[in-house]
Amino acid sequence: MITRLLLPLLLLSFYAQAQVTLDADGPAGVPTYDLITNVLAPGYNPVEVPDCGHAAFGDHITEVFDTDLGDNAFQFFIHVNEDDDRCGSQDRQRNEIKTYDQSPANLLGVVGETVEYKWKFKLPAGFQSSSSFTHLHQLKSVNDPDDNMPMITFTARKGTPDKLELRYAEFGSQSTIYSADLDPFKGVGVEAVETITYTNPGSYSIDIKRVSDGVSLFQHSDNNINVWRCGADFIRPKWGIYRSLNVPADLRDEEVRYANFSITETTTSGVGVTGVSLAPATATMDIGDTEQLTPTISPANTTNQCV
């Protein structure tokens, strides 16, 4: 009898979470763009690089072992004079990876889910920020009326002193809700753990610790924050370097390293937003496969509208 009860409970616990990881495997491993694509959007293109206008440099994301991060890392390069936004906008530069509508469903945050995003990164010792923006991470809401404005952004900003800013936009305008001096992050390997419950009200927390000793350099949480926009289809993360060229003299060529990405979803039943309900999670995967779990959303949520 006990065995009969324990097995369903163990399966329920297993099926309640889905984790996907993306780890660099070094210069001799799988080609970098293929490695990223195979995890974030198999068969599509989750890599947004400035290669098209700066082909002479080669790939703008490569791999190297980093002792401060303790593992192989992805190197994101950006060049002041040669790079732009994928042969489009000339007033900014972008070198990012993302999930998007071609990604597996378990890499996209939906209403009612709690998602943990985890990654390591290292800014070079001489890193220079724009006074406008130098984004390092974004969470973007897709297909709501304000989806051009990221909901959550980490940006490095030139100032006295330079700051690492956590910026939030419930709707169409962003404000800084927490910041810390940037200098302690330069030349240092850190690990970020970001946890968000996509409901209204929901919760958000971020903790960035030094890899070497576990000391927290940046910590903020809010258990009463609106983190689901009415009409949205899903939330997607981005990482890399996306910076303004408003004052090129403020900048230099940079190399930012990232490692050990993971996205872990926990599906929640119940009401996440007024008028939107979730059914319990369902799955058809084998034991050992942690990359195919998606929530089943009730018909009332087919348009994700709030009332």
Side-chain angles (χ1 to χ4, degrees), residues 9 23 25 27 45 49 60 80 115 127 142 170 180 200 203 208 210 217 237 239 244 264 267 278 283 292 296:
L9 288 173
D23 298 308
D25 61 2
N45 185 23
V49 290
H60 280 67
V80 177
V115 184
F127 183 82
V142 176
E170 181 177 1
N200 287 344
S203 63
I208 305 178
R210 275 198 306 254
L217 303 180
W239 293 274
S244 169
T264 304
T267 304
L278 285 174
Q292 300 302 322
T296 297

Side-chain angles (χ1 to χ4, degrees), residues 78-130:
I78 206 78
H79 307 95
V80 177
N81 295 320
E82 295 86 1
D83 295 338
D84 56 21
D85 188 356
R86 300 163 293 172
C87 291
S89 299
Q90 303 295 311
D91 64 343
R92 62 197 64 195
Q93 301 175 310
R94 185 192 306 269
N95 185 6
E96 294 183 305
I97 62 174
K98 65 181 181 180
T99 68
Y100 68 127
D101 58 1
Q102 303 297 335
S103 299
N106 58 320
L107 297 181
L108 307 175
V110 299
V111 64
E113 283 184 335
T114 296
V115 184
E116 179 191 82
Y117 304 97
K118 194 172 182 179
W119 69 98
K120 295 176 183 174
F121 69 97
K122 187 175 83 170
L123 305 179
F127 183 82
Q128 294 177 201
S129 308
S130 167

